[in-house]
Amino acid sequence: MKTQWQQYINILKSVVKPALGCTEPIAVAYASAVAMQMLDGEPEKITVQVSDNLYKNSMGVFVPGTGQIGLRIAASVGAFAGDPLADLQVLENITNTDVEKAQTLIDANNVEVSRIDVDEFIYCLVEIKAGNNIAIVEVSGAHTQVISKKLNGKVVFTKSTATNASTASICDGVDITVEGIYNFAMQAPFADIEFILESARLNSTLADEGLTNDYGLKIGRIIQKSIKDGFMSDDLVSNILMHTSAASDARMGGASLPAMSNYGSGNQGIAATLPVMIMSKHCGHGDDKLARALILSNLVAIYIKSYYPPLSAFCGNTATSSAVAMAMVYLMGGDYKQSCYAIQNVLGDCTGIICDGAKSTCALKVKTTTSSAIYSSMLAINATGTTDQGIIADNVEQTIRNLGKLVTIGMPKTDAIIIDIMSA
């Protein structure tokens, strides 16, 4: 296998992985679980400090298995029952008894959460006291990347942070372009990319949960009801929007089922997967073409997002859905040029969507960007593409760089204002 292709597979396997619950509160739960590895007994006091963006993305989202929102319950239940070996599924085995214990500690005012001014977008420090011992864990740069562990003031583990994770990219040092990804997806042996099909299975299960039970705004279920009531057609577009929204409803509403995430986001993993899977089925394709399409949607999304910070004022579903539009064009029989049109069309449509924290309305944004992906792919398959307008350049690579510049340089002030509004 080409070295370049192996690098692509390594990228996919490192950031397309199962995640139970929104990844920002889960990062705190994970840090708590790691801290408790160094302690005996049960936690008596927990102090949490987090970056502004991690705080923003934890204020309105349910922590799975708890029925509650926020970082205090995430930190507390992570300390009582989190599995530090389970990565982003750290809370997969919690029980009602664990949640009750966690709530008791919160009710006694022994769980404190505050914001801290740090350069990293993803950062949390968790300090836990149990008996006469105090453990401190720092997570920085990625949701489960522990950079420091201390026990009673003594450093027991440290990870080099010479490279600033806020500016480092998973694609650094890799020969990667949209065309390179396209060629890889078209030519790689099926056996080498078959692993990506697990994302379809996992996220389909989450969609079924969202269509069966009430979560969040119930967007998926309401689309389902609207089809039954005759207000919407039972067609390809409606079914894509229904299933994708339902999965996001369930995820943001605290369902105890994992999503296959994309670059630290469960919603973006959902958005990268379900529309592609449903389009593939509609076109009558088997696993081979579905896998190649999922490689496109997931890896192009990662590539685009590598040009800007992991958390920002920009809704990453826009980038993901542009990659989805590319994958849909491929499934409809389009060529590379038409696939690039599809990316350009979505970025020309949805780039203005802001991120104002993780919450139930994320499912609305998933619905909106997924809708754009569908219609953008229809335009592209008919050789219609946005070029040389606004931030959209005359080629897709420059457009992606323009987007990165907009988010990295142009949106920090917007992000600060959003956090200020949310914290008022």
Side-chain angles (χ1 to χ4, degrees):
M1 183 189 294
K2 297 179 181 179
T3 299
Q4 178 191 36
W5 288 7
Q6 186 59 59
Q7 290 174 325
Y8 290 178
I9 289 172
N10 292 344
I11 290 171
L12 283 163
K13 288 186 175 181
S14 66
V15 294
V16 177
K17 55 187 179 181
L20 178 63
C22 180
T23 47
E24 277 68 60
I26 290 302
V28 172
Y30 177 78
S32 289
V34 172
M36 285 304 299
Q37 282 185 304
M38 296 183 279
L39 299 170
D40 294 322
E42 293 190 337
E44 298 170 11
K45 185 173 179 61
I46 303 173
T47 303
V48 180
Q49 294 177 301
V50 298
S51 58
D52 282 347
N53 283 97
L54 197 147
Y55 184 79
K56 179 182 79 170
N57 274 10
S58 303
M59 290 177 67
V61 65
F62 282 89
V63 177
T66 70
Q68 297 182 55
I69 289 171
L71 290 176
R72 291 203 299 169
I73 188 64
S76 190
V77 78
F80 276 101
D83 179 359
L85 302 180
D87 202 59
L88 291 174
Q89 298 186 81
V90 60
L91 300 183
E92 64 181 340
N93 294 319
I94 65 171
T95 66
N96 289 335
T97 300
D98 298 324
V99 176
E100 289 170 3
K101 288 181 178 180
Q103 188 60 50
T104 298
L105 195 66
I106 293 169
D107 292 341
N109 294 318
N110 285 322
V111 181
E112 299 177 358
V113 175
S114 62
R115 291 154 57 190
I116 184 172
D117 185 15
V118 292
D119 292 334
E120 295 292 349
F121 294 92
I122 300 173
Y123 177 86
C124 71
L125 183 149
V126 173
E127 177 182 306
I128 302 180
K129 181 180 184 300
N132 295 321
N133 298 308
I134 296 175
I136 299 175
V137 169
E138 283 183 281
V139 167
S140 181
H143 294 89
T144 56
Q145 180 170 275
V146 175
I147 64 164
S148 174
K149 294 194 287 187
K150 296 178 182 178
L151 180 62
N152 298 327
K154 182 180 179 181
V155 175
V156 296
F157 171 83
T158 185
K159 178 182 176 69
S160 173
T161 56
T163 300
N164 188 328
S166 292
T167 57
S169 163
I170 192 170
C171 296
D172 284 352
V174 178
D175 179 12
I176 185 168
T177 61
V178 173
E179 186 173 11
I181 295 169
Y182 186 86
N183 291 335
F184 165 64
M186 297 303 103
Q187 299 170 24
F190 174 66
D192 291 340
I193 60 173
E194 185 179 9
F195 68 90
I196 201 69
L197 294 174
E198 177 64 9
S199 64
R201 186 196 67 78
L202 211 60
N203 290 337
S204 292
T205 301
L206 197 57
D208 290 341
E209 175 69 13
L211 289 172
T212 303
N213 297 297
D214 287 346
Y215 292 99
L217 297 178
K218 301 178 288 187
I219 300 165
R221 295 199 73 183
I222 290 171
I223 293 174
Q224 184 183 55
K225 181 178 183 297
S226 298
I227 293 171
K228 183 179 179 181
D229 292 345
F231 292 108
M232 294 180 71
S233 299
D234 187 4
D235 58 19
L236 173 64
V237 174
S238 295
N239 274 281
I240 289 175
L241 297 180
M242 177 178 70
H243 284 87
T244 308
S245 300
S248 183
D249 284 329
R251 176 168 178 75
M252 306 317 287
S256 295
L257 289 170
M260 187 65 84
S261 65
N262 180 289
Y263 214 170
S265 170
N267 274 323
Q268 291 169 49
I270 289 165
T273 303
L274 291 174
V276 176
M277 185 194 74
I278 296 168
M279 176 63 82
S280 181
K281 183 177 180 180
H282 177 82
C283 294
H285 298 312
D287 284 350
D288 183 271
K289 277 207 166 184
L290 174 57
R292 297 182 192 283
L294 289 171
I295 291 292
L296 288 175
S297 63
N298 278 279
L299 189 52
V300 172
I302 293 165
Y303 172 59
I304 295 172
K305 289 183 282 187
S306 73
Y307 278 91
Y308 59 81
L311 297 175
S312 69
F314 175 71
C315 178
N317 284 303
T318 296
T320 300
S321 291
S322 70
V324 167
M326 180 187 199
M328 286 181 169
V329 167
Y330 159 67
L331 291 169
M332 289 188 284
D335 58 21
Y336 174 70
K337 183 176 181 180
Q338 292 167 319
S339 294
C340 290
Y341 281 158
I343 295 173
Q344 300 266 80
N345 289 341
V346 175
L347 294 181
D349 183 16
C350 295
T351 292
I353 299 177
I354 63 166
C355 172
D356 55 344
K359 57 202 176 313
S360 60
T361 55
C362 287
L364 282 171
K365 295 177 182 181
V366 167
K367 181 269 303 173
T368 297
T369 58
T370 298
S371 177
S372 178
I374 298 167
Y375 290 107
S376 293
S377 67
M378 301 300 176
L379 291 171
I381 200 71
N382 286 283
T384 297
T386 306
T387 58
D388 204 18
Q389 300 180 45
I391 71 162
I392 308 303
D394 60 2
N395 69 86
V396 71
E397 291 293 337
Q398 187 57 51
T399 296
I400 291 169
R401 284 160 176 76
N402 291 348
L403 176 65
K405 183 177 182 180
L406 172 69
V407 178
T408 303
I409 301 174
M411 299 190 80
K413 181 67 173 178
T414 301
D415 199 37
I417 292 171
I418 290 169
I419 295 168
D420 182 62
I421 290 170
M422 293 175 65
S423 304

